[in-house]
Amino acid sequence: MQILSFPEAATPTDLRVQVGEIQEQVWPSESGPDAPVATPTHDPALRPISMLLVGEGTVLAALDILFKEIVHVGRCLSAGGLSRVVTSEQARGRGYGRQLVAAARERMAAQGLDLGLFTCDRPLQPFYGSAGWRVLPGAVLIGGTPQDPFPSDQPGFDKVMMSGFFSAAGRQAQASFHHSRIELYPGEIDKLW
């Protein structure tokens, strides 16, 4: 098995098709399994990177990392976040998803990001915690745009914020993220990563 990384737009088509099929298992689209998956799904301004855990040419797990500069309490910080984390139904329960999520965390740190943050459904908190991510207590991620905000604490959502603080600047700012509203504003395509 190996972990492969590509800019999302440069992911080989055969691998992208497999990722689309796995995503369709988890998040069925209105167009169904025959929907085209050869086009990128994220806003290019977020510099999406696709990470795939592949065994013998088969994608077992996949995720995307999105990147953005944020301003929080007057500090400009480089942030990354996880998106579309998924494991094939046939490969679940073997630790592949955890392995890939941990590798993504290591990659963010190695790339010199100040921090990583993202939301997940509350029942998935232990999974992400087992891969090195920590709960950001009381924090709310505000997605969308300043004109059309999309907060993670809106009615009907049961989200928790996960985080990793990698750089000295990130660790210095860590306490300011607790019990705060974090203005991510990734845009209209990736409303909330």
Side-chain angles (χ1 to χ4, degrees):
M1 272 181 292
Q2 58 183 330
I3 294 176
L4 305 176
S5 296
F6 307 94
E8 183 192 30
T11 303
T13 302
D14 62 320
L15 296 176
R16 193 177 307 155
V17 167
Q18 289 184 57
V19 170
E21 290 169 352
I22 297 169
Q23 291 172 342
E24 188 70 27
Q25 292 171 356
V26 178
W27 308 293
S29 66
E30 290 180 15
S31 351
D34 297 326
V37 293
T39 58
T41 58
H42 296 291
D43 185 336
L46 299 175
R47 306 181 317 273
I49 298 288
S50 294
M51 290 184 70
L52 315 174
L53 181 67
V54 179
E56 298 180 15
T58 300
V59 176
L60 304 170
L63 60 79
D64 297 320
I65 304 174
L66 306 177
F67 303 90
K68 188 173 190 306
E69 299 294 316
I70 64 169
V71 176
H72 186 71
V73 294
R75 293 183 178 141
C76 185
L77 300 164
S78 58
L82 300 183
S83 181
R84 298 182 180 242
V85 178
V86 67
T87 301
S88 166
E89 286 179 353
Q90 298 82 2
R92 290 188 190 146
R94 299 181 194 164
Y96 297 144
R98 182 177 298 107
Q99 180 182 346
L100 190 60
V101 167
R105 187 180 186 288
E106 290 171 13
R107 178 175 181 145
M108 286 185 207
Q111 282 189 222
L113 292 180
D114 293 313
L115 68 152
L117 32 98
F118 59 95
T119 61
C120 70
D121 294 334
R122 191 168 305 278
L124 294 174
Q125 175 185 334
F127 165 75
Y128 287 105
S130 72
W133 294 95
R134 298 292 166 249
V135 172
L136 195 52
V140 174
L141 196 63
I142 303 175
T145 65
Q147 300 76 26
D148 188 18
F150 192 81
S152 64
D153 66 346
Q154 60 187 288
F157 275 26
D158 187 21
K159 301 284 185 188
V160 64
M161 285 281 309
M162 302 302 291
S163 64
F165 292 87
F166 308 128
S167 71
R171 288 187 296 277
Q172 185 178 27
Q174 182 173 353
S176 71
F177 283 88
H178 294 210
H179 304 282
S180 71
R181 296 183 76 78
I182 303 161
E183 297 176 342
L184 178 65
Y185 299 132
E188 290 297 324
I189 296 172
D190 298 282
K191 287 191 173 212
L192 197 61
W193 71 32

